[in-house]
Amino acid sequence: MADGTSIESSLNETRVFQPSRDFAGRARVGSLEAYEALYARSMDDPDGFWTEVASELEWFEPWSRVMEGDAPWVKWFVGAKTNLSYNCLDRHLTTWRKNRAALIWEGEPGDVRVFTYQMLHREVCRFANVLTTLGLEAGDRATIYLGMIPELPIAMLACARIGVTHNVVFGGFSADALRDRINDSRSRVVITADGGRRRGAVVPLKKNADEAMTDTPSVEHVIVVRRTGEDVSMRSGRDLWLHELYRDASDRCEAAALDAEHPSFMLYTSGTTGKPKGVVHSTGGYMVGAYATARWVFDLQDEDTYWCAADCGWVTGHTYIVYGPLLNGTTCMMYEGAPNHPGPDRLWSIIEKYRVTILYTAPTAIRSFIKWGDQWPEKHDLSSLRLLGTVGEPINPEAWMWYHTRIGGGRCPIVDTWWQTETGSIMISPLPGATPTKPGSGTRPLPGIVPDIVDKDGRSLPDNQGGFLVVRRPWPSMMRTIYGDPERYERQYWNEIPGVYFTGDGARRDEDGYYWIMGRIDDVINVSGHRIGTMEVESALVSHANVAEAAAVGVEHDVKGQAVVAFVTPKGASAPGPELTDALRDHVAKMIGAFAKPEQIRFTDALPKTRSGKIMRRLLRDLASGRETVGDTTTLEDYSVLAALRESEEG
Ligand code: PRX
């Protein structure tokens, strides 16, 4: 296990919160018995179960089989044809929802744009026609590098409409990281903006994109959204303003009939090697997963105003800002900027202003709110809220209790949702009207999902014993491959323990069947709910001229959950010190993005290694978090190295 600390604190947690009778009485799944019946049905008759769920959506051609093949190479809804954009938009236009707000967007400066389903449909059609005019076809890839403006979901839905696989790159990634992702995905088009608004400043998106595109041979065109009005350079022939392209674009565009297995999107995520992997998702299976989980977990009702305060640059934004809620015809709130701009109560003011009913955010955000003080939520009327959610990292029971009392007024259930970029949709979570919750636990699996806790040989472990979290059966929204590297997909996810999906998380299951996530067991650090591979940070550091060797580890952090600490051996005559520290932190920001900057850099003459030359990360982790090293150190190449590292900490 990465470290035993989160499990220890959770082990003491004995509080149980029952869904209120009021909530349960109106919920889609309103009792534990109802959840258990749903789950049992999904196990006893998976084909019948998924057929029923999928039949609530529209398909242009039916499937011949619900699932086919052996893991990992499975297909769902075999032979069926459908379209995600059609199901998110067109499906609602023949109902009362056509004039329901699909998207209520607030910019950081306070500007507001509202799109009904009908209006959003028109925008998406226009954007899809723009892509078609530029020669894009089903099967091509487009990279989207935007801030949180309406054009981001519009571009995603436009791609989905014509079968272009979108690759959204979080606007906080640097030019170098963007370049790698454009090249690896071989994108023909890049969609960006003149700038993004964040914490009162402008994020130079187009400038970063220009820097990225000094060496991106696949890119033919760049579509630029005007957001900030900044002066940006436009390369003639390649760069085109969206508002100019829109002039000739019709607002009608038929949705392509795509195979259920057509790759709807790819999204890069960190793993144990230096190179991020492009996780590829399907169309039909992904759609069913996003639709059903959003409905079950968020209990979406007609009068809800739902807000997932994530960024579309991460999977949470894909499935629970865009696809899941729109498939359900929900009204979605979307906000452009920082949660503390202009003041630390921005989120609460938005909830009050739009009478938001459901809020879904990350534990790291909750811990920041706690730090900023109770006076900020107290200034606002949060009585519209009826349900709260968290995602991205284990939530410490203290943060859970604060969220429950200060934000939820003690009346809102909390859904702690466990899932991953790879799983496509929520896997383990309470159903708010059905599942009693325990602070810090994601509780029980959703229908169709079979998690287990196993040892390294794949044997199931008894209750309350920590082990590897795996998933025993394929599920509709599971990733289909790693783009361009099917062998790595098979090896990393399905061969680690043969025949089951390996999550990379450590966890335990308690006597009530509740899952408690302990954190990553691989070399992935979860900083503020964002996955960063230690190898990525190390590759960035050693690419700096003054670095000979580097090791990055994760340590506990009050707000971020985990933070990166790097141990660095400088090269030649370069002097370790604050100047080099700043230079290296900036270098990591340049290579990856500011969110990956090491919290601390420690200089050392040598790194502790085993005789075979492997860096002893466990020792470094213990050292970085101030714990005494108690483990076996007999394989240390040189004991003096460890002593020197300790001194560098004290010095
Ligand atoms: O370690 C788990 C943690 O986040 C990882 C997945 O990261 P990513 O693919 O970036 O997706 C984040 C949003 C879905 C997992 O392997 N994680 C996610 N949700 C939880 C969690 N850990 C504990 N509790 C959660 N609710």
Side-chain angles (χ1 to χ4, degrees):
M1 299 301 110
D3 66 67
T5 49
S6 45
I7 189 170
E8 279 158 26
S9 61
S10 307
L11 267 174
N12 303 328
E13 186 52 60
T14 51
R15 287 169 286 202
V16 178
F17 293 82
Q18 301 293 337
S20 74
R21 204 170 298 162
D22 189 34
F23 192 101
R26 278 178 288 162
R28 287 186 180 277
V29 183
S31 68
L32 196 57
E33 295 69 43
Y35 155 75
E36 281 171 349
L38 199 62
Y39 188 83
R41 166 135 168 73
S42 76
M43 293 296 113
D44 300 344
D45 175 20
D47 283 7
F49 177 79
W50 288 117
T51 294
E52 228 166 74
V53 175
S55 299
E56 292 174 20
L57 295 160
E58 291 204 28
W59 303 78
F60 304 142
E61 281 176 37
W63 50 92
S64 55
R65 291 187 64 183
V66 172
M67 193 193 94
E68 187 179 89
D70 292 319
W73 304 110
V74 291
K75 291 180 173 174
W76 284 85
F77 306 107
V78 183
K81 299 236 185 308
T82 187
N83 187 290
L84 255 172
S85 167
Y86 184 92
N87 273 283
C88 285
L89 302 168
D90 308 48
R91 191 166 85 85
H92 306 303
L93 300 187
T94 51
T95 73
W96 65 271
R97 285 193 166 81
K98 80 175 178 193
N99 286 324
R100 182 181 185 187
L103 194 63
I104 303 178
W105 175 85
E106 187 168 290
E108 195 182 75
D111 40 341
V112 176
R113 291 165 75 189
V114 180
F115 298 81
T116 63
Y117 272 89
Q118 193 167 234
M119 290 159 77
L120 191 61
H121 175 258
R122 255 195 341 252
E123 290 294 301
V124 168
C125 287
R126 285 167 79 197
F127 205 118
N129 284 326
V130 164
L131 294 172
T132 303
T133 310
L134 295 180
L136 267 80
E137 292 173 355
D140 287 336
R141 273 88 46 214
T143 291
I144 305 178
Y145 183 63
L146 285 171
M148 284 287 287
I149 54 175
E151 283 75 11
L152 175 44
I154 289 167
M156 291 163 71
L157 289 159
C159 287
R161 197 160 185 88
I162 58 172
V164 168
T165 302
H166 59 67
N167 168 35
V168 181
V169 177
F170 171 55
F173 273 113
S174 67
D176 290 273
L178 175 62
R179 181 186 307 122
D180 291 347
R181 287 157 175 75
I182 294 171
N183 284 337
D184 191 76
S185 64
R186 287 177 283 150
S187 290
R188 291 182 64 192
V189 160
V190 171
I191 301 160
T192 188
D194 51 0
R197 294 202 181 275
R198 185 89 191 166
R199 211 160 276 132
V202 170
V203 183
L205 294 169
K206 177 64 166 66
K207 196 165 150 275
N208 292 350
D210 284 340
E211 208 183 312
M213 288 183 296
T214 49
D215 186 18
T216 50
S218 62
V219 177
E220 295 160 33
H221 289 291
V222 181
I223 300 175
V224 187
V225 181
R226 187 142 74 193
R227 165 61 184 142
T228 59
E230 299 305 286
D231 241 351
V232 293
S233 75
M234 298 287 283
R235 188 200 281 187
S236 99
R238 186 192 71 178
D239 301 354
L240 305 157
W241 286 106
L242 179 67
H243 58 269
E244 289 176 8
L245 292 165
Y246 263 175
R247 271 184 215 139
D248 303 317
S250 145
D251 58 12
R252 280 160 187 244
C253 169
E254 204 171 320
L258 300 169
D259 190 273
E261 285 297 310
H262 184 81
S264 63
F265 70 88
M266 53 199 291
L267 185 61
Y268 284 84
T269 190
S270 298
T272 45
T273 68
K275 194 170 161 279
K277 45 199 173 184
V279 168
V280 178
H281 279 288
S282 67
T283 294
Y286 174 77
M287 175 170 83
V288 170
Y291 167 76
T293 54
R295 204 172 179 79
W296 291 324
V297 174
F298 298 112
D299 185 50
L300 298 169
Q301 307 278 353
D302 288 345
E303 58 280 6
D304 275 322
T305 301
Y306 160 92
W307 186 14
C308 168
D311 192 291
C312 289
W314 310 107
V315 76
T316 304
H318 283 63
T319 309
Y320 299 106
I321 294 178
V322 184
Y323 293 115
L326 294 180
L327 286 165
N328 281 283
T330 305
T331 296
C332 304
M333 184 72 220
M334 180 175 172
Y335 167 59
E336 178 183 37
N340 54 353
H341 189 85
D345 59 342
R346 185 60 185 267
L347 257 57
W348 320 129
S349 80
I350 290 175
I351 289 171
E352 180 172 24
K353 182 168 166 192
Y354 301 94
R355 308 300 293 156
V356 170
T357 57
I358 303 171
L359 175 67
Y360 187 33
T361 187
T364 185
I366 297 167
R367 289 190 296 264
S368 295
F369 301 142
I370 296 174
K371 211 174 86 181
W372 294 338
D374 292 359
Q375 68 274 27
W376 300 108
E378 275 165 14
K379 271 174 64 176
H380 296 277
D381 175 5
L382 304 180
S383 62
S384 58
L385 286 172
R386 68 180 195 94
L387 174 60
L388 302 173
T390 77
V391 59
E393 44 173 326
I395 183 164
N396 44 312
E398 298 70 32
W400 196 101
M401 286 307 300
W402 184 88
Y403 200 31
H404 178 70
T405 50
R406 300 288 158 187
I407 306 305
R411 94 194 150 267
C412 304
I414 296 182
V415 287
D416 175 354
T417 62
W418 178 87
W419 60 296
Q420 311 178 294
T421 305
E422 293 88 339
T423 67
S425 60
I426 297 170
M427 305 286 278
I428 299 177
S429 169
L431 300 192
T435 318
T437 51
K438 304 183 189 182
S441 170
T443 77
R444 297 171 64 173
L446 293 192
I449 306 303
V450 189
D452 198 4
I453 308 287
V454 300
D455 65 12
K456 64 180 191 337
D457 301 318
R459 280 187 295 253
S460 295
L461 290 171
D463 291 349
N464 287 316
Q465 197 165 318
F468 304 116
L469 176 64
V470 299
V471 185
R472 289 204 173 274
R473 279 196 201 174
W475 64 100
S477 71
M478 63 191 253
M479 73 184 285
R480 295 304 197 261
T481 190
I482 292 176
Y483 188 75
D485 202 350
E487 188 274 330
R488 187 178 170 198
Y489 164 63
E490 199 159 350
R491 179 164 39 87
Q492 284 199 347
Y493 296 105
W494 297 91
N495 289 356
E496 199 75 35
I497 294 171
V500 299
Y501 171 79
F502 190 76
T503 66
D505 279 354
R508 75 180 165 96
R509 186 178 41 218
D510 73 14
E511 58 287 356
D512 296 323
Y514 279 41
Y515 285 81
W516 298 79
I517 308 296
M518 294 151 67
R520 301 289 304 191
I521 39 146
D522 52 11
D523 292 324
V524 172
I525 309 176
N526 191 329
V527 179
S528 304
H530 303 317
R531 268 157 70 171
I532 300 172
T534 51
M535 269 292 287
E536 271 176 274
V537 180
E538 288 163 8
S539 320
L541 286 168
V542 296
S543 72
H544 190 277
N546 297 340
V547 174
E549 215 178 12
V553 296
V555 295
E556 264 187 69
H557 187 278
D558 284 353
V559 174
K560 299 177 182 173
Q562 282 192 298
V564 181
V565 173
F567 293 87
V568 169
T569 311
K571 204 186 252 174
S574 45
E579 225 168 279
L580 187 54
T581 300
D582 289 348
L584 294 182
R585 294 183 76 230
D586 289 348
H587 187 67
V588 173
K590 180 178 173 299
M591 301 298 289
I592 307 175
F595 64 93
K597 274 188 187 180
E599 190 82 0
Q600 258 185 53
I601 293 186
R602 298 209 189 155
F603 295 102
T604 165
D605 286 341
L607 293 169
K609 291 189 186 151
T610 61
R611 277 183 216 290
S612 61
K614 267 185 83 174
I615 294 174
M616 300 181 82
R617 291 174 185 285
R618 185 177 47 77
L619 287 186
L620 294 177
R621 260 195 309 261
D622 286 353
L623 204 65
S625 46
R627 276 194 298 274
E628 264 312 295
T629 304
V630 287
D632 175 23
T633 55
T634 50
T635 47
L636 252 185
E637 185 194 35
D638 178 358
Y639 288 96
S640 63
V641 166
L642 191 61
L645 281 169
R646 277 224 189 84
E647 275 161 30
S648 84
E649 170 194 19
E650 283 150 16

